[in-house]
Amino acid sequence: MPSQQPGTGISENSSGIVPDTASPLPFDPLPVLQTLPPASARVCLDIRHFLERELRVGLQKRRLLLAVSGGADSLALLAILVLLRPHWHCELSVFHLDHQLRPESPEEARMVVRRCAAWGIPCVARAVDVAAYAGQRGLGLEEAGRKLRYTLLEKERRRIGADWILTGHHRADLEEDVLLRLIRGAGWPALGGMPALDRRRRVLRPLLCSAPEDLRTLLRVCGLSWVDDPSNADPRYTRNRLRHGILPLLRAENPSLHRSIRTLWRLAREDAAHWEALLDNALTQTALQETPEGITAPRALLRALDGSGRLRLYLRILRMLRENIGYGQARAETLFALDAAWREGRGATRFQLPGGITAALRHGNILFMPPQ
């Protein structure tokens, strides 16, 4: 028997949360790509070219898991993938996460499930108490929601055997992300913003260079309505203060800000690929040492790299450890201090890093230890 989620009105069974009434709502059928106005068709084709030509990702006959909240961005992602599905012959599935932060969220979950049913797309919805999780882990609501979202998306991806997880991040999200990283002291090339392609996590962001206003126009052309989350206007969140306060000022100074950030993003991706290849080559000569205590960067490896290479090595090790921890980003100034201590040969020196990770200098080596 399905279990009832308290206060949601949605039943949970082995296939996830489904609406109490299984029949789909009478949504109008989605138009085919060839019937769209030229501007909206071009939006879809630009996204296809972005994936195929710039990211060089083939989606032919792939199984794709789409993260859909019911907002304009993720609904546009769903609509565009439905429109492009005849080109790729791909299989689409949808995952919806109800954060249980607003009283209307259960109805939004039902709408997503029913919309997918109307289009013949499998959909799984889950409800989690993000506020309780944030309190237990000492995280902010945004960080807790992001961590849970990606954890559950990866779990669902594995369950259905999907090749990729797709999210609805667009050009404005990239602009906000670059500023957030700047504020937090990110180094290069991370300062270039979120990647559109993350092979390690099997995440794709097809809309990352698309304008949000173009996506909303496409939804209107298709006769689709979306949900506006009121928390997106809450000034308590840093992202919203950037979105509604800082970014409009920057765009007034430079109406082509989005082009500048896209160029920065492209340069960052090129440099990131360079550093990853350099580290891969160095690690074939001298490997990291993994023990129950942690991950050690041996002296021979550190000596083989210049300062920039060592900083990227530290970041890679932290990324390896964060796969188990799931959160926390090191500030560049902390990594500079760690590298200076290693160069100066300071012994028995420790550095505290995000997520409870500790870096300790030992006999010319650096040991990175996960939280105990």
Side-chain angles (χ1 to χ4, degrees):
M1 295 289 293
S3 60
Q4 186 75 20
Q5 291 291 309
T8 65
I10 300 178
S11 299
E12 182 173 355
N13 59 24
S14 59
S15 63
I17 300 174
V18 297
D20 294 332
T21 303
S23 59
L25 293 178
F27 293 114
D28 291 332
L30 194 66
V32 297
L33 187 62
Q34 291 77 6
T35 66
L36 293 180
S40 292
R42 174 50 56 189
V43 170
C44 298
L45 293 176
D46 285 346
I47 290 168
R48 190 181 92 185
H49 294 161
F50 176 64
L51 287 166
E52 295 178 343
R53 298 179 183 178
E54 185 161 349
L55 301 184
R56 298 183 181 180
V57 176
L59 298 185
Q60 291 287 347
K61 299 182 179 179
R62 299 296 186 183
R63 179 171 292 179
L64 309 177
L65 177 63
L66 280 58
V68 177
S69 67
D73 312 334
S74 61
L75 183 59
L77 173 71
L78 175 59
I80 289 166
L81 265 292
V82 169
L83 288 163
L84 293 176
R85 180 167 51 177
H87 171 73
W88 284 317
H89 303 287
C90 52
E91 297 181 43
L92 303 181
S93 295
V94 164
F95 181 84
H96 174 88
L97 184 63
D98 175 4
H99 292 198
Q100 296 186 323
L101 294 173
R102 295 178 290 110
E104 59 270 24
S105 64
E107 178 57 29
E108 292 167 10
R110 280 189 284 267
M111 290 292 290
V112 170
V113 174
R114 292 175 182 175
R115 186 180 296 278
C116 290
W119 290 348
I121 298 172
C123 178
V124 166
R126 301 276 182 206
V128 293
D129 190 338
V130 170
Y133 180 84
Q136 294 165 2
R137 299 296 181 95
L139 304 173
L141 286 177
E142 283 190 302
E143 187 174 3
R146 182 169 55 251
K147 175 177 168 54
L148 281 171
R149 189 161 56 249
Y150 280 105
T151 297
L152 294 174
L153 277 166
E154 173 59 15
K155 182 178 179 181
E156 180 65 11
R157 185 191 72 80
R158 291 176 180 270
R159 187 186 74 83
I160 67 174
D163 297 286
W164 294 99
I165 294 167
L166 277 65
T167 71
H169 294 94
H170 51 61
R171 190 173 78 190
D173 295 314
L174 177 60
E175 294 169 4
E176 293 164 14
D177 190 51
V178 167
L179 291 186
L180 282 169
R181 291 174 184 236
L182 177 64
I183 291 169
R184 293 167 181 165
W188 185 258
L191 188 58
M194 68 182 80
L197 168 63
D198 188 336
R199 293 190 183 276
R200 181 178 58 87
R201 298 165 64 202
R202 307 299 298 172
V203 172
L204 276 174
R205 299 182 174 100
L207 314 183
L208 197 58
C209 293
S210 300
E213 55 270 24
D214 291 341
L215 301 176
R216 285 164 173 74
T217 297
L218 174 65
L219 292 177
R220 295 187 187 99
V221 165
C222 294
L224 301 174
S225 59
W226 61 87
V227 174
D228 286 319
D229 185 344
S231 68
N232 289 333
D234 191 335
R236 290 177 297 175
Y237 298 114
T238 304
R239 182 179 294 276
N240 290 339
R241 293 196 297 274
L242 293 176
R243 177 180 301 165
H244 302 295
I246 305 301
L247 273 168
L249 295 176
L250 293 176
R251 293 186 185 113
E253 293 293 332
N254 178 12
S256 297
L257 179 68
H258 63 280
R259 294 193 182 94
S260 300
I261 287 184
R262 177 175 168 82
T263 299
L264 181 74
W265 177 83
R266 293 187 69 181
L267 290 170
R269 302 281 70 77
E270 293 290 337
D271 284 1
H274 166 77
W275 287 112
E276 289 298 311
L278 183 146
L279 289 180
D280 288 343
N281 181 64
L283 289 169
T284 61
Q285 308 299 319
T286 307
L288 297 171
Q289 299 166 4
E290 298 188 48
T291 66
E293 192 176 11
I295 299 176
T296 296
R299 178 169 47 188
L301 175 60
L302 296 170
R303 284 179 171 174
L305 297 168
D306 61 14
S308 294
R310 289 193 299 272
L311 289 173
R312 271 72 185 189
L313 176 66
Y314 304 152
L315 288 170
R316 178 179 286 201
I317 295 172
L318 291 174
R319 187 173 66 205
M320 294 167 62
L321 291 171
R322 284 204 306 267
E323 287 181 352
N324 298 321
I325 300 168
Y327 60 90
Q329 293 182 353
R331 295 180 181 272
E333 61 186 24
T334 306
L335 298 182
F336 275 120
L338 170 63
D339 193 63
W342 175 82
R343 286 187 285 104
E344 294 165 9
R346 289 185 236 156
T349 306
R350 287 175 175 259
F351 290 84
Q352 195 65 43
L353 300 166
I357 298 172
T358 303
L361 278 65
R362 295 183 180 178
H363 309 294
N365 307 319
I366 303 179
L367 171 64
F368 293 82
M369 296 172 284
Q372 301 301 316

